[in-house]
Amino acid sequence: MGLKVYINGKFYEKSDAKISVFDHGLLYGDGVFEGIRSYQRRVFKLKEHVERLFESAHTLMLDIPLTREALIKAVISTLQTNNLDNAYIRVVVTRGEGDLGLDPRKCKGSAQVIIIADKIVLYPEKLYKEGLEIITVPTVRNLPEALNPQIKSLNYLNNILAKIEANNCGYQEAIMLDSMGYVAECTGDNIFIVKNAELYTPPQCMGTLRGITRDTILELALKLGVARHEHVITRHEVYISDEAFLTGTAAEIIPVVKVDGRSIGSGSPGKITLKLMKEFHNLTQAEGVKY
Ligand code: PXG
């Protein structure tokens, strides 16, 4: 049995799961999305992801044709239909079919709701043990006053350009700065550093997505008694940090051991990073919406 994709309340085989070439999601990146994970038949932070999807849609004045509760049910139903114990779930809502002009008022049909439940492997297991080497790239994160990074829209070209720059230099992930030159985040992950046993991450206001994994790590640090700061970070502060790691639903928690050629701390994953990785793993096994 092949992968079944949810589109507007119905399930289709992967090869038959199609939407219109006139959909403004394709023509203009006009739409929103979320990436969610499930562990051992429990969806992690499902309510938080659905809330953020509705927030992104609200600013784009995109009506999601489902209530939050109905969308939660649709995610669960997609996981059950595909019988997946551990999955990566992509929820996509596009503006829908319009004409060749960008005016969203011309999209007469309803927004399209797509849910894909599949597997994702971003990095090999080895890198979670040994740590990742990353670089800073020239493309800065979108200005909040232009396209606010809090909107998880289908236009990810800002991040893709940064990813291409990293790839061109032989790296898999990159630090993106904000327009002031402070560290914002990576192409698909938030960044944390540890200095003198305290945790630092950039504030969400400057061009950093308020990641759900980021919030989870801040909560876990509080529980562990590790002081946390949401504060601007310079590249220098990253270079001289004791530990660094990235967080994201897809990547989970991955240690960073080198940035722009500078070794971070001892050059291997740090103690606090490893502790947080363990606590995060435990949490993913212990909570979440059951299916
Ligand atoms: N920053 C950005 C720019 C993201 O896209 C995160 C941080 C982490 O947020 P969460 O809520 O997941 O902790 C994301 C989300 C990929 C990929 O292929 C990554 C994301 C989304 C889509 C694809 O790396 N990360």
Side-chain angles (χ1 to χ4, degrees):
M1 192 192 78
L3 195 87
K4 297 270 199 304
V5 178
Y6 171 106
I7 306 177
N8 302 325
K10 291 204 186 104
F11 288 99
Y12 300 85
E13 288 293 337
K14 183 178 171 181
S15 54
D16 297 327
K18 292 173 183 160
I19 60 162
S20 167
V21 293
F22 285 90
D23 193 301
H24 280 204
L26 172 69
L27 291 177
Y28 300 112
D30 187 355
V32 295
F33 81 98
E34 278 295 319
I36 313 171
R37 261 188 196 269
S38 76
Y39 300 88
Q40 311 294 344
R41 295 189 91 90
R42 279 164 172 249
V43 192
F44 192 62
K45 303 283 179 194
L46 179 53
K47 233 179 123 200
E48 289 80 350
H49 282 285
V50 167
E51 195 52 43
R52 189 171 64 183
L53 185 81
F54 274 81
E55 287 176 2
S56 295
H58 181 71
T59 294
L60 296 185
M61 300 186 80
L62 170 61
D63 282 329
I64 299 180
L66 291 174
T67 61
R68 287 161 173 75
E69 295 70 35
L71 186 61
I72 285 174
K73 280 197 183 137
V75 169
I76 298 290
S77 156
T78 307
L79 286 162
Q80 287 168 339
T81 301
N82 286 285
N83 197 24
L84 288 161
D85 295 345
N86 297 284
Y88 180 75
I89 306 131
R90 178 61 57 88
V91 180
V92 180
V93 183
T94 71
R95 182 77 66 180
E97 201 174 313
D99 65 11
L100 292 177
L102 59 82
D103 191 341
R105 291 174 303 185
K106 303 265 181 67
C107 298
K108 296 294 184 210
S110 149
Q112 303 288 295
V113 181
I114 301 158
I115 308 174
I116 309 167
D118 202 354
K119 300 273 168 203
I120 195 171
V121 179
L122 272 198
Y123 300 112
E125 200 45 48
K126 187 171 175 270
L127 286 177
Y128 287 87
K129 295 204 173 77
E130 295 174 5
L132 194 60
E133 298 186 12
I134 61 175
I135 55 162
T136 310
V137 291
T139 295
V140 298
R141 196 71 177 95
N142 280 334
L143 270 65
E145 60 270 44
L147 179 55
N148 196 317
Q150 304 307 331
I151 305 166
K152 259 182 97 68
S153 82
L154 295 181
N155 184 334
Y156 247 53
L157 287 176
N158 181 221
N159 314 62
I160 290 167
L161 283 173
K163 187 70 115 183
I164 290 168
E165 288 160 357
N167 292 163
N168 284 347
C169 298
Y171 292 87
Q172 302 191 61
E173 188 48 290
I175 290 180
M176 300 179 77
L177 304 178
D178 64 27
S179 58
M180 304 278 287
Y182 292 111
V183 171
E185 59 180 336
C186 291
T187 66
D189 303 302
N190 290 111
I191 186 165
F192 283 83
I193 60 170
V194 177
K195 184 72 176 173
N196 299 327
E198 298 193 3
L199 197 58
Y200 297 81
T201 196
Q204 62 153 92
C205 58
M206 279 308 294
T208 302
L209 177 73
R210 183 169 165 201
I212 289 165
T213 321
R214 170 189 182 275
D215 278 357
T216 307
I217 286 298
L218 288 171
E219 278 166 28
L220 286 174
L222 182 68
K223 204 184 102 193
L224 294 174
V226 176
R228 328 134 326 147
H229 309 276
E230 291 179 70
H231 197 275
V232 288
I233 296 174
T234 61
R235 278 185 301 145
H236 174 66
E237 284 160 333
V238 175
Y239 300 157
I240 62 164
S241 66
D242 302 324
E243 305 180 24
F245 61 89
L246 311 182
T247 66
T249 300
E252 301 173 299
I253 320 296
I254 185 156
V256 171
V257 291
K258 204 175 252 190
V259 178
D260 298 333
R262 282 79 161 181
S263 282
I264 303 301
S266 64
S268 46
K271 248 172 55 190
I272 293 177
T273 304
L274 293 172
K275 178 82 185 142
L276 286 166
M277 284 171 77
K278 190 158 172 268
E279 290 289 327
F280 180 79
H281 174 77
N282 291 345
L283 193 67
T284 61
Q285 307 298 305
E287 65 165 54
V289 180
K290 280 190 186 156
Y291 59 94

